[in-house]
């Protein structure tokens, strides 16, 4: 008898407290039903060879967030235009977000699939800042690109050691090709070079557009008396740059330059987003955003 | 001989000055080719009867700006959703602007087709403010709704006198029905009432949602011993409000209320945007924006 | 025995729920100690006669919020400069807010003491919008000026009836002088005129700079066969405009114009902020902001 | 005769073209008189030893821009508070900018004297972004901190080689102490390390708060068999960190750690801003901003 009475009181007290907690929670947010969406944003590529990278990320993210809609946007206007001519219509981040706003998404995690905190990322950040000032989303968060925090740098170094070709011998180099930029964030490549070489002095990273340049890398390969190098794109996809600037037959491709310098080159035509350990870093950034929607 | 020499020098000097002027002009702007667009923004309506108003504005604006692309956006989410079910896809202002940005428009004149500076207009202004902070448009200007400046008020009064039914006699009233709002801008209706009555004390304007209310208007009609009233919507379209709240058969329609009070009612089911003199006011606002693109 | 056991469990459950509620609450807010401040913002005046108005508001607000720091800022650069020469240093809203940010205020209620939603108010709103994007304040709210909502209009009409000179007879007019503006919000004066005259057709409001003009008012006075008029500034202070444009001896003062037209004029040189019923409207707006800090 | 006539025509044409050019130029800008100001922004320091650094920059900048007012702001609230107690009143960037706005400066070059693109710089950028949205300045530009572009990195490396103690021998190390941060920009230290070591493998940079840590540097010193190291702060001033964390006698100072590891330490207590080659880099950034005001 008494037990029942007490049980009733406990239930009541618990209920009151529980309800008041929920009420408090409600009073913080708006009344709209929560609708979470993910927007994956990449520079984009018109090469078919790039699609495998995008498909891989898409599959990974959809497996992780089965109940959440996952959409894509391409930051490159030229790529979007090229694809449109082929009948493939990709949205700009602005159009993609405006559509999600129209469809009453309340929480949007935008995940940059860029490699670095460069101009493309900054424009995207600027767009998201603008969307924050408009009525529409309750919360919109932009996830960091691949290389941002010191933890990312450590994770990237670890991942690279997992994905370099198994057949590579100790005295053979791995030369990564980053895109490079005139943006200050270009410094991240030199920072990554330092950390790669701390672990293994036969690992190198250079860029197409800036420091560290291929000339410097060639010089360092010679200094280290290296005769063979695996070339890998340090970009999400193995697109134009990987095929031509890295592994092409023109005189100014990295393969040509190094071959001419007496180094045997083995190009690896796989985008970074084809490798699980690298995709996990981007996915980790998205996870950080999604955690803020709970 | 000398003439030729001098002519040559003049030509040269003129050319240098002209080129330097153009160069200066170029150095101010960006290098992109100018692409001007017009975005007409209305609340929207799902009623077929409203389309005649929109068509009228559309025709007017396209006649005025033959070489400029004219697009539409609806601010009402509910209307967009209703129309989508009928297979008519209208963009929100955000989607419309994002698409124009994607299509490399450089100058966009957004023209509010709202009646007043209320919440819908403010949200639109907020959206335009956000678009100004994004990379994309060189210039984006929002034109005032129908009622904004004192000149607008005078123009509206003049226009109303041109559009009231010709058959109306001096002792018969014209009662305009505005939408009304909880927004401060609701004061514009009372301001318009004052200015209408200055010219003709048998002209009235009330609103569905706020001051001046139909009760006050009924009272004023009695005070002025008026026996007959023409009812006209003071909204861009003759939609739901005109059909039901103004001219409907329900007890709380204006027609029913005034009829019950002994006043003969003649509803005029035409939206403001069906009348040339009113459309000219909106068009004048757009003209002000377009002039800033020259 | 059982009772005690149950009592213990209830206490524990309650405690857990209570603590988790508080923890949730904490995780929403920041850790800083709440520090609320009030910033009263007026156009300012360099006339000694205006000070009584400011003192009156200052006293009222400090009485209402005894534990909250109350500060002042003047939006007029010219007035600030004039006063600085007299050794009185008044801050611009930007400087005042920057100082409050520096002094770690967390919640700031900015109360506009302007009369209308004109340019001065818009600039202030713009400044507050900018401060919202800076790190610093947790919450900053701008209170409406005197005339904003329909409730304000009703309250103002009521207040005016309380403050017009007791000795005024029924057939004598009261003519209020507003400042006026080229801003759309100038329509509020006509709106107020309409509402004043609804209650008493011998009450008028005109403006120095726009519609309704003194010529119109003179015309309406004649039409109503009015022989005597009390002139009152509808501005927070009885400053330059009240002394000169309203009650001055120059040919173009309202007193001169109306006197010449055969109307006996009695100027009342008191600012609106000298009257309790009017100050209560501004104070009510501030109260609305302060309520959001609880 | 003809000559004179032609000369007159040329003069006229030239004059017309010249005037129209100027008119065009005027129509672009506002009418206010140009008033350019410089705001130097540092974290600040309460140590007297830091003042020599600030004085050095101040002198340099004032020598370069003799006709332009140069002001200072400190981003650190704690430092400002400490100094205020000593009677030295330093403004926050927000207060400093609000005052300059009030004093009608039209063009403001804000020069960050921070070392890196970290949190302090981002907050400052955010503040400047906010000021851009307020009415006031025609142009406000924020100059990069010491380390931003690849050119900066090269310049810094060059400058460091000029400022390391003359008495240092080839087999002796120079260990720079940066502040470090949890901000992504911390990667710039590793990037600098890579570039320093490219030129001279006995140069090192570590940070107090992040990667590269003193343990790593100690390890690298051992690996390179180095017995003596010059310790220098890589911060604008030789303040708290230089005195204590670098050169202090506590067990966890870099001097103590390295000494214990058998390395002779020679601390150099001079801030980076005491060295001309480094100050020139900051000055170069400011020059870039000032050039945009011409």
């Amino acid at each position: 008898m008494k037990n029942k009475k007490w049980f009733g009181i406990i239930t009541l007290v618990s209920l009151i407290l529980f309800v008041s907690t929920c009420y408090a929670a409600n009073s913080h947010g708006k009344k709209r039903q929560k609708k979470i969406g993910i927007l994956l944003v990449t520079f984009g590529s018109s090469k078919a060879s790039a699609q495998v990278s995008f498909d891989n990320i898409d599959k990974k993210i959809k497996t992780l967030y089965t109940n959440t809609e996952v959409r894509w946007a391409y930051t490159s206007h030229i790529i979007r235009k090229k694809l449109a001519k082929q009948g493939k219509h990709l949205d700009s981040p602005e159009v993609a977000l405006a559509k999600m706003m129209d469809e009453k998404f309340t929480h949007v995690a935008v995940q940059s699939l860029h490699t670095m905190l460069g101009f493309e990322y900054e424009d995207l950040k600027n767009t998201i800042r603008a969307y924050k000032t408009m009525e529409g989303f309750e919360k919109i968060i932009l996830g960091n690109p691949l290389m941002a925090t010191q933890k990312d740098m450590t994770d990237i170094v670890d991942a690279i050691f997992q994905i370099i070709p198994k057949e590579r011998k100790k005295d053979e180099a791995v030369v990564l090709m980053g895109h490079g930029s005139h943006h200050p964030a270009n410094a991240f490549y030199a920072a990554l070079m330092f950390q790669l070489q701390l672990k293994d002095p036969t690992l190198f990273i250079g860029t197409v557009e800036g420091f560290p340049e291929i000339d410097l890398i060639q010089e360092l390969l010679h200094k280290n008396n290296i005769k063979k190098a695996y070339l890998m794109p340090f970009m999400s996809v193995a697109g134009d740059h990987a095929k031509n600037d890295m592994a092409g037959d023109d005189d100014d491709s990295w393969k040509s330059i190094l071959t001419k310098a007496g180094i045997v080159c083995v190009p690896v035509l796989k985008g970074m987003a084809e490798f699980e350990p690298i995709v996990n870093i981007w996915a980790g950034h998205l996870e950080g955003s999604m955690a803020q929607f709970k």
Side-chain angles (χ1 to χ4, degrees), chain A:
Chain A
M1 279 282 274
K2 269 181 184 166
N3 274 13
K4 279 191 184 169
K5 191 181 113 194
W6 277 113
F7 185 74
I9 293 174
I10 290 179
T11 309
L12 189 68
V13 167
S14 305
L15 207 66
I16 290 167
L17 283 165
F18 177 72
V19 168
S20 68
T21 312
C22 290
Y23 180 79
N26 276 344
S27 78
H28 276 87
K30 291 173 194 168
K31 297 285 145 61
R32 286 201 287 151
Q33 209 192 325
K34 211 174 185 175
K35 186 176 174 185
I36 301 177
I38 290 170
L39 182 65
L40 302 175
V41 182
T42 173
F43 181 81
S45 173
S46 58
K47 298 278 164 195
S49 61
Q51 199 52 45
V52 59
S53 282
F54 298 149
D55 289 347
N56 195 39
I57 294 184
D58 193 63
K59 202 180 123 192
K60 174 80 183 181
I61 302 302
K62 282 178 179 163
T63 307
L64 288 171
Y65 305 99
T66 42
N67 297 317
T68 308
E69 198 164 337
V70 178
R71 300 190 177 184
W72 283 79
Y74 283 14
T75 51
S76 166
H77 182 254
I78 295 166
I79 302 284
R80 289 198 306 271
K81 238 175 145 177
K82 268 192 199 173
L83 291 173
K85 282 180 190 163
Q86 302 166 20
K88 292 177 74 176
H89 294 279
L90 266 299
D91 284 338
S92 68
E94 291 77 22
V95 171
L97 288 171
K99 286 180 180 173
M100 292 178 91
M101 193 178 267
D102 186 30
E103 293 172 42
K104 298 290 177 195
F105 281 84
T106 57
H107 294 70
V108 180
V110 181
Q111 180 53 47
S112 155
L113 299 177
H114 300 102
T115 308
M116 57 179 284
L117 297 156
F119 292 115
E120 298 275 329
Y121 173 83
E122 267 201 8
D123 281 355
L124 185 57
K125 195 174 175 182
N126 200 33
T127 289
I128 270 105
R129 194 184 288 119
Y131 270 86
K132 279 181 183 169
T133 68
M134 290 190 241
E135 287 299 310
F137 301 129
E138 272 176 46
K139 216 165 188 172
I140 174 168
I141 302 178
L142 174 59
N144 274 336
L146 191 63
M147 290 196 286
T149 63
Q150 181 54 32
K151 187 185 176 304
D152 295 339
M153 301 302 269
T154 310
D155 289 349
I156 291 166
V157 171
D158 288 348
I160 286 170
F161 277 90
Q162 292 174 54
I163 69 176
I164 51 180
K166 296 266 177 322
E167 60 273 25
R168 172 233 173 196
K169 288 176 197 136
K170 277 206 163 176
D171 59 348
E172 294 168 355
V174 177
V175 178
L176 299 164
M177 173 192 257
H179 189 284
S181 169
H182 297 287
H183 190 279
N186 194 67
F188 278 76
Y189 293 105
L192 184 57
M193 174 86 108
F194 174 72
Q195 284 166 86
L196 283 169
Q197 299 208 328
L198 262 187
K199 277 197 113 175
D200 184 338
T202 58
L203 257 65
F204 302 87
I205 182 162
T207 72
V208 187
E209 289 199 356
F211 183 86
E213 284 143 11
I214 185 62
D215 296 351
L216 172 63
I217 289 172
Q218 184 191 325
E219 199 183 302
L220 295 173
L221 289 170
H222 270 289
K223 218 171 166 180
N224 285 272
N225 206 26
I226 289 168
K227 301 295 178 204
K228 187 174 174 184
Y230 290 84
L231 309 183
M232 296 179 78
F234 187 70
M235 307 182 197
S236 59
V237 302
D240 218 32
H241 292 297
K243 284 193 167 170
N244 300 316
D245 298 320
M246 188 185 85
D249 292 325
D250 282 0
D251 279 2
D252 57 354
S253 80
W254 286 21
K255 191 185 76 176
S256 300
I257 290 168
L258 296 184
T259 303
K260 205 173 161 189
I263 295 159
V264 177
C265 288
V266 186
V268 182
L269 285 170
K270 290 185 84 173
M272 280 294 128
E274 295 185 51
F275 298 108
E276 190 77 3
I278 294 286
V279 170
N280 285 344
I281 298 171
W282 274 305
H285 294 177
L286 175 59
E287 200 188 339
S289 303
M290 294 295 278
Q292 296 182 53
F293 293 164
K294 272 169 194 167

